Amino acid sequence: MATPTPTPTSPASITASGGRGGFLLARARVAPGGRWAVRAQPAAAELVERSVNTIRFLAVDAVEKAKSGHPGLPMGCAPLGHVLFDEFLRFNPANHAWFDRDRFVLSAGHGCMLHYALLHLAGYQGVTIDDLKAFRQWGSRTPGHPENFETDGVEVTTGPLGQGFANAVGLALAEKHLAARFNKPDLTVVDHYTYVILGDGCQMEGVANEAASLAGHWGLGKLIAFYDDNHISIDGSTAIAFTEDVLARYEALGWHTIWVQNGNTGYDDIRAAIKEAKEVKDKPTLIKVTTTIGYGSPNKASTHSVHGSALGSKEVEATRKNLSWAHEPFHVPDEVKRYSVVPVELKLQNFKVITNKLFCCEEIQTCSSSLGSSSGCCILHSV
Amino acid sequence: MEGVANEAASLAGHWGLGKLIAFYDDNHISIDGSTAIAFTEDVLARYEALGWHTIWVQNGNTGYDDIRAAIKEAKEVKDKPTLIKVTTTIGYGSPNKASTHSVHGSALGSKEVEATRKNLSWAHEPFHVPDEVKRHWAHHLDEGASLEAEWNAKFAEYEKKYQHEAAELNSIISGKLPDGWDNALPKYTPESPADATRNLSQQCLNALAKVIPGFLGGSADLASSNMTLLKMFGDFQKDTPEERNIRFGVREHAMGAVCNGIAVHSPGLIPYCSTFFVFTDYMRAPIRLSALSESGVIFVMTHDSIGLGEDGPTHQPVEQLFSLRAMPGILMLRPADGTETSAAYRIAVINRKRPSILALSRQKLPQLEGTSVEGVAKGGYVISDNSSGNKPDLILISTGSELEIAEKAAGQLRKEGKSVRVVSLVCWELFEEQPEEYKESVLPSEVTSRISIEAGVTLGWEKYIGQKGKAIGIDRFGSSAPAGRIYKELGLTVENLIATAKSL
């Protein structure tokens, strides 16, 4: 089959053959500047900010509509979430089950509006804008804590703190195990990272220390954990009950550690940290990201009340003013939408065309839905 | 390796427990072999990160002076707990089995016992204690007696000078509750305002803390949701250890175990701990040990069912009521209103040799007619009944938040001419302890038309509804939705209860 050599502005295609057991046609639209690889540059700073605020307000609005939920973490972790999902995570929104995707776990599961907003922006069919509006309602696909059997794109069911983090260690173990068994010198078919966001609560739970001890012992170098260091838990400041040196503890457990001191606006710091973490091959990495819980809310940021209650209509309005977000609830600005709902092929960073052993799957038939018929895309993927 | 130890160590460091000295038996062996297999962290560095002072005794086998020096040093550190890592040889002295995992948990066997005797030049027969060793240890009897006599003299002085404090301390030492303590418990009537039992619980906790000097406790970072803050006290912290609100952080397992420790310290210390009911799963081991060890810890568990709503199935208990009722030696109490909550606390405090677990609602519940402290003390009782001759047409049995559903349904059925008895089975263990005649008077065997309704699994209810009865409950995980919607969708409604009654 012909190797694709796309030109910057014209569609590329590779040889077609239909049906199961053979190649599948992938009609790819390649963005300017790209081969198969996704844009190497992040979006312009202004667009990043707008995307980050989109994430924040989707969370704020969903919690407000449900009159229930946890806006604080989504507001504080929106910058981290944007950078991670948009610039680093390798995934195919049209196929949440693509085998070699990066895994993401939100161990602080109560912050799930962050995850749902990201899945929505990324183009996952399982999280439409109506799903976001149905947050925490009977029968919705956006339950109050992530449920992997309910929402495509959610890897594990979380809620009880610390569990997701330990699940992430399991996901990373699986990658390392399968990579060791199946990768060949000339062909790497198992190669993905496991990312997890955990908060102070998860850190206090004993299970997280058990799992971290194991991850360090096993040298799970492709496990990257983000510790949302916002100094707040339900009962108030972490000074009340949690004053240990977390990074020192993780070092004692055999982890590499990094501290991003400004998780609110330090986008380059976040990028550099993830890059550094990926370069450490023999140890898992904990990136402590200091954020402000409820960032953007003028009266409730940094308080425990923003952890687990809706802001209330007055504060929602005040937050909109504060962040200059003049849009109505659940609005995704066009430029953010255009930017994020890219042709799904472009999310396959560094996609390697494998000349044999390609199989199609059921997903192929239905993948084109969100992009409109003009793209007519299908996804090449390996089993 | 156990996570609970890290949780507890983190708390000890935070609280600056300078008079806690831990010895880490560093023998590099666990059941499956060398610790290199699964445990390669830097333990001392971890404890330092948790705020401990650390010391390493490299020769725990023969380094007696090193051990002495380490303990001395540990005692001099006043503001931090100390971990002394003592490197030892497991099974020291056994020539063939020392340093192996087989000496961890199996008898040496007669051959190796003989070899060990030879190796350590121990020519004595089994169970022999040499005279000089006996004589040496005997000094502890005299020394101990004089230590206690000294303390008694000091305490006598204390009693003279500080009468009030001495009386309080005495009650903590002896475990004797102050006279009339239970009068402090709040009293409710059907006219009292409707309220969630978690709020009513807070009223009880505060009332008890006022009159019981050894009453203290806290929550695993949910004090503002569990409603467990004692308003007249501050937080127990490094610099304010005299205070009585204990802030455990998100560490349920350690919280339960720490409370077990507090409970066994002195008979009059009555600790309570709190989290969401579903997180008893995180705390099951200490609950079981509390029961096994006959420790009367009080477990205040709120958000006890689908009634908590939108947080969803990971937070909604379903099987916890049944699974805790299955555990021997505990009291599982699920009060329905203020009167029953107050009564539950009375029982919890009285029962010093059994832990009590209270399941409390997040949602507001009405005060009910017919609930009583005496009834709750019997574990199960009739709260309303329009039958005569102990032969109602129908018996409805319920607990906690569903009791009002049973009451409402009974009311409607009575209007239609039925004789209906409503039973509150707030604590199965206490009910089972009642004499047969009493149980018969509440649940007469002749009456087979029985329906139970509870927001939990139906498993277990067979015992009380019998072959011909029906159990309304939840035999699946819950859902993320407003509570009222979940109740409706899962059939825990007055309508469904009435329909079930008619189908019997």
Side-chain angles (χ1 to χ4, degrees), chain A residues 33-281:
Chain A
R35 284 174 27 84
W36 288 100
V38 132
R39 67 194 69 73
Q41 311 290 65
E46 209 194 80
L47 185 51
V48 168
E49 198 56 42
R50 207 161 296 157
S51 171
V52 167
N53 279 331
T54 303
I55 295 165
R56 284 196 179 111
F57 282 99
L58 285 174
V60 163
D61 293 334
V63 170
E64 191 59 32
K65 181 162 191 289
K67 300 250 169 291
S68 173
H70 304 73
L73 184 156
M75 295 168 81
C77 284
L80 169 61
H82 168 90
V83 170
L84 180 62
F85 266 67
D86 191 55
E87 301 173 18
F88 287 92
L89 213 61
R90 299 175 71 243
F91 58 95
N92 179 0
N95 181 11
H96 66 278
W98 168 43
F99 168 75
D100 205 30
R101 67 190 183 280
D102 284 341
R103 274 36 175 199
F104 170 76
V105 173
L106 182 61
S107 186
H110 53 272
C112 54
M113 265 316 304
L114 172 71
H115 198 183
Y116 298 152
L118 289 164
L119 291 172
H120 174 72
L121 289 179
Y124 281 75
Q125 284 314 288
V127 191
T128 65
I129 200 73
D130 287 325
D131 291 318
L132 295 181
K133 291 177 182 171
F135 179 60
R136 296 193 152 217
Q137 301 313 301
W138 180 267
S140 85
R141 295 194 290 194
T142 50
H145 287 82
E147 295 168 19
N148 61 354
F149 52 92
E150 207 60 75
T151 313
D152 293 340
V154 171
E155 302 287 356
V156 297
T157 298
T158 60
L161 296 174
Q163 298 295 320
F165 177 78
N167 298 153
V169 173
L171 289 165
L173 179 157
E175 195 272 350
K176 188 164 187 185
H177 171 76
L178 292 173
R181 281 174 65 178
F182 295 106
N183 282 342
K184 298 292 184 199
D186 59 327
L187 285 171
T188 308
V189 286
V190 183
D191 183 13
H192 55 267
Y193 279 79
T194 304
Y195 299 94
V196 54
I197 294 180
L198 72 161
D200 294 302
C202 294
Q203 291 287 18
M204 288 188 249
E205 284 289 6
V207 60
N209 192 76
E210 290 180 9
S213 180
L214 283 169
H217 173 69
W218 290 330
L220 297 179
K222 290 165 90 176
L223 174 63
I224 298 172
F226 301 92
Y227 163 30
D228 175 30
D229 171 46
N230 63 26
H231 294 108
I232 290 284
S233 65
I234 290 183
D235 276 351
S237 162
T238 49
I240 288 176
F242 182 49
T243 53
E244 57 182 72
D245 185 339
V246 176
L247 290 187
R249 174 162 61 89
Y250 272 71
E251 276 153 32
L253 299 177
W255 285 58
H256 180 67
T257 66
I258 304 170
W259 185 13
V260 171
Q261 299 197 39
N262 173 13
N264 295 326
T265 56
Y267 295 99
D268 283 340
D269 299 331
I270 296 173
R271 290 172 182 123
I274 300 176
K275 193 165 174 300
E276 179 184 328
K278 294 182 84 166
E279 276 152 22
V280 176
K281 307 288 183 194

Side-chain angles (χ1 to χ4, degrees), chain A residues 66-70 135-140 142-147 149 157-163 200-207 209-210 213-214 216-218 233-236 238-246 248-249 251-254 304, chain B residues 1-4 6-7 10-11 13-15 35-43 45-46 48-51 219-225 235 237 247-253 276 279 282 310-315 476 479-482 485-486 489-490:
Chain A
K67 300 250 169 291
S68 173
H70 304 73
F135 179 60
R136 296 193 152 217
Q137 301 313 301
W138 180 267
S140 85
T142 50
H145 287 82
E147 295 168 19
F149 52 92
T157 298
T158 60
L161 296 174
Q163 298 295 320
D200 294 302
C202 294
Q203 291 287 18
M204 288 188 249
E205 284 289 6
V207 60
N209 192 76
E210 290 180 9
S213 180
L214 283 169
H217 173 69
W218 290 330
S233 65
I234 290 183
D235 276 351
T238 49
I240 288 176
F242 182 49
T243 53
E244 57 182 72
D245 185 339
V246 176
R249 174 162 61 89
E251 276 153 32
L253 299 177
H304 62 99
Chain B
M1 291 188 247
E2 285 287 7
V4 59
N6 192 77
E7 291 180 9
S10 181
L11 283 169
H14 173 71
W15 289 330
T35 50
I37 289 176
F39 182 50
T40 52
E41 56 182 75
D42 185 338
V43 176
R46 172 161 62 93
E48 276 153 33
L50 298 178
S219 161
D221 192 52
L222 290 172
S224 47
S225 295
D235 289 347
Q237 297 286 4
R247 304 285 204 160
F248 290 100
V250 189
R251 308 179 179 94
E252 298 80 14
H253 192 165
F276 290 160
F279 299 138
Y282 270 114
E310 292 93 331
D311 269 352
T314 59
H315 284 59
R476 46 159 278 180
S479 230
S480 172
R485 181 70 188 268
I486 311 173
E489 294 287 344
L490 299 188

Side-chain angles (χ1 to χ4, degrees), chain B residues 47-63:
Chain B
Y47 272 72
E48 276 153 33
L50 298 178
W52 285 57
H53 179 67
T54 65
I55 304 169
W56 184 14
V57 171
Q58 301 197 36
N59 174 12
N61 296 326
T62 54

Side-chain angles (χ1 to χ4, degrees), chain B residues 244-260:
Chain B
R244 298 214 226 154
N245 286 301
I246 308 177
R247 304 285 204 160
F248 290 100
V250 189
R251 308 179 179 94
E252 298 80 14
H253 192 165
M255 174 173 72
V258 165
C259 284
N260 280 343

